[in-house]
Each structure stands twice: as C-alpha cells, then as structure tokens.
Amino acid sequence: MASWLGSLWGGSHSSSLPYNIKADPNSPSTKHGSHGWALHTATRKTDGGEDTAFQANKAELAKAPLRRNTSLADARYSDTSQTQLFPALHHFHRIKRLIHPRILRAHATLDTDYPDETKPAPGLDDLEKSLRTGTLIIVTENATPLDDWLENLNPHTSQANAAAVSWGIHNIVEALGFLHAQAKLAHGMVCPDAVFVTPSGDFKLGGFDLITPVGIEDGGGGPTPHFRKYEAVVCPADYRSPERVSQRYDVLQQSAPVHSMDCFSLAVLIEYIYSHPNAGTSGQVPPPLKKALARMKNDNPKLRPRLAPLLKCPVFDNPYVKAE
C-alpha cells in the first residue's frame, strides 16, 4: 500500500504517477476556454484503462495574461499581474478536495515542484509563494469538454440528443446543489469551460478557478480576495451576473444567498447548450424551461430561486433520470 501511494504522489515527473500519459494532447493548452490546461489521454498502468490527464506548465501560465474585455482606451489600466497561474493553482488545490458523483473526479494530482511531503506546497492562502518552474498534473476520470461533446453528437438523432442534454443539465444542477447546500460554496465560473462529459454521457462539473464561500452563510464575509481579483477576467462575460459586472461584491457578501450568482450563470449555460444545433431542440430552449430561466436571471440576486426545484420541470422527465 505504501509503495502504491508513493508512486501516486511521489517523484518529480509524470512517470511517478500510476499512469502512462500520452505526449501529444487531445486538446492543447492554447485552445479557447482551456484556461491553460492541455488534455491528454492517461492510461492506467494497472489495467490499461483510460482516464484524462490535465497538464499545465506553470512558467507558461505565469506568462499568459488574463485580459478583461475592455476598450483600447481602457487597456492601459489592465493589471499585468493577472495571469493564468493563480486561477490554475486555485483549481488544482480545490478539485482534489471536492468529491461528489456529479463533480469531475480527480484520481491523482502532482505539482512537480513539490513531488513529495518533504517540501509541502503552499496552500490556498499562500499561492503567491508557489514555485513556478514545474508542471501541474491532474488525472481525472475519462471526460471530454462540453463543446467537443456537443459537436460530436449525431445531428440525425434529435430525440436521443435532447434526452442526453436534459440528463446532463440535471447532473450539473445536482453538482451545484451539493456545492451550495453541503459545501457552502459558490462555483463562480459556471460556463461551458467548466463542464466535461464522460463516455457514458454524464456531465461533470470542473473549473474550480474561482470557487468561493459567499456572505453570511459561510461566516467569513466572502467572496474571497482571490475571487474579487480574478472573476472579471476568468469567467466569460456573458456568465457574470449584474452585481458581478458592476463589482457590487458587497451585495454578495451581505445579502445574496450562496446560490445566487451560479443560478444566473446556469441559466445562461442552459440557453447556450440548447442553442447548439445538435442539442435536439432545433436551437431553441424547451418552452417549459423559459419562465424558469427568466427567474434565474433576475437582476436582484435575492430573488433568484434555489436550483433544486428546477429539476421538477418536465424537461427532465426522461429515460436517463428514470433509470437513475
């Protein structure tokens, strides 16, 4: 047992992991929405099964600027310290601690700057002290990015596609429900970049670059300084609720329920998914969902509903849910 754990967490290279990681990525780190992570096939050394390895070079992350969607006139005010590095480190530390059937499962992680316990890596509160020369590796269950999955759906199987999509959205609502009700955390980056799909068609929530406690429910007055610094340049603009766009973080801190900003983002994500020609609904949101989505995008965060009741919508009454 000890030798197996040593192979999992020890060593300074990916060869120390119990996986053979394919050199050529399936999806490069420069792809739009990758947030600096390349996706590789990881083959288990024990049984030959396939998983997915996310890899990011910290030196490259530290040189990749995060740019707010501003005019050229505002560009001179951009913060040059905002790079992909700290959001990636935040995700790296968080994903291995969050375990739920609807959250992308991390089987192994490795920061090659800190290959063993003799030199512990700085925690979430000290990310700026992290060494920046190595590689971050996260091996997860086998999964593909949401956009790639949508593109690969058969356009001639509309009914099956619609059922698969509603099942996937059902999964993400359950993942967020866990974060809000049990972990007392807001995800903060609910968008296509944070959703991955397994070979069996289950949607899994990832992308924990911004995850944060919020307001009175956590007792600490969140959102965190990390969230406040990076959310405007990490989360795609369309998925940011009005109070985030206007940087009224005091609203989130003092009066908004923990689900409020993710509720808004999820509504935009659902609209995005159903707009895809392969989603099985001719590019339209199913009528039973339209009123619910309007409520979820209410300008007042206190009036946005909890997510669990959304699952009572008849759109989610499909064979996948019944078989669960």
Side-chain angles (χ1 to χ4, degrees):
M1 179 68 171
S3 62
W4 183 86
L5 287 173
S7 70
L8 181 61
W9 302 110
S12 60
H13 189 267
S14 62
S15 61
S16 66
L17 295 169
Y19 298 89
N20 293 313
I21 298 177
K22 186 178 179 181
D24 294 331
N26 302 321
S27 181
S29 62
T30 54
K31 183 178 179 180
H32 178 73
S34 72
H35 299 260
W37 295 94
L39 273 64
H40 299 252
T41 298
T43 304
R44 295 189 293 272
K45 294 176 181 178
T46 53
D47 60 9
E50 288 190 354
D51 289 314
T52 296
F54 293 74
Q55 292 192 167
N57 181 284
K58 287 197 281 185
E60 293 178 1
L61 292 172
K63 293 186 293 185
L66 294 167
R67 292 189 176 90
R68 196 186 304 264
N69 293 326
T70 57
S71 65
L72 290 176
D74 293 331
R76 65 179 183 269
Y77 299 113
S78 62
D79 185 349
T80 57
S81 70
Q82 291 180 312
T83 70
Q84 290 182 335
L85 177 62
F86 294 130
L89 284 168
H90 197 265
H91 169 72
F92 177 84
H93 283 278
R94 281 294 195 176
I95 191 171
K96 54 189 175 183
R97 302 177 184 180
L98 294 167
I99 300 175
H100 184 270
R102 304 308 182 202
I103 285 178
L104 188 65
R105 181 64 183 267
H107 295 315
T109 62
L110 176 66
D111 180 342
T112 62
D113 282 329
Y114 304 95
D116 54 53
E117 294 181 359
T118 61
K119 186 172 66 172
L124 279 172
D125 294 332
D126 295 305
L127 294 181
E128 68 279 358
K129 297 179 181 178
S130 296
L131 297 176
R132 307 182 185 187
T133 57
T135 299
L136 299 173
I137 303 171
I138 305 171
V139 180
T140 73
E141 59 192 307
N142 195 3
T144 190
L146 172 64
D147 280 337
D148 292 349
W149 179 81
L150 285 169
E151 285 297 317
N152 290 326
L153 288 175
N154 184 344
H156 303 296
T157 56
S158 296
Q159 186 174 356
N161 294 358
V165 163
S166 68
W167 167 245
I169 295 170
H170 190 284
N171 296 161
I172 297 304
V173 172
E174 290 183 322
L176 291 171
F178 161 74
L179 290 182
H180 300 157
Q182 295 177 253
K184 306 298 184 184
L185 295 168
H187 184 275
M189 199 182 80
V190 177
C191 67
D193 305 347
V195 179
F196 299 86
V197 187
T198 69
S200 61
D202 295 332
F203 283 24
K204 300 297 180 91
L205 186 64
F208 301 111
D209 303 42
L210 297 172
I211 192 167
T212 178
V214 174
I216 57 175
E217 293 191 34
D218 83 294
T224 61
H226 171 87
F227 176 90
R228 296 175 191 230
K229 180 174 182 178
Y230 288 101
E231 69 95 10
V233 288
V234 171
C235 185
D238 291 346
Y239 295 84
R240 296 175 64 226
S241 52
E243 68 277 6
R244 295 173 67 176
V245 172
S246 58
Q247 296 187 328
R248 290 183 290 126
Y249 302 128
D250 59 312
V251 174
L252 293 172
Q253 180 177 351
Q254 296 169 8
S255 60
V258 67
H259 67 265
S260 60
M261 64 170 147
D262 288 341
C263 181
F264 181 96
S265 303
L266 178 63
V268 180
L269 176 63
I270 291 172
E271 291 173 340
Y272 171 85
I273 292 173
Y274 278 116
S275 73
H276 196 283
N278 291 345
T281 57
S282 302
Q284 302 295 317
V285 172
L289 271 177
K290 290 183 177 180
K291 288 185 178 180
L293 298 187
R295 290 192 297 270
M296 291 167 68
K297 293 196 295 181
N298 195 301
D299 285 347
N300 186 339
K302 290 189 288 186
L303 297 181
R304 295 176 201 145
R306 291 183 302 106
L307 298 181
L310 181 66
L311 298 182
K312 297 179 181 178
C313 178
V315 167
F316 301 108
D317 184 18
N318 67 58
Y320 295 96
V321 175
K322 292 176 179 178
E324 188 179 17

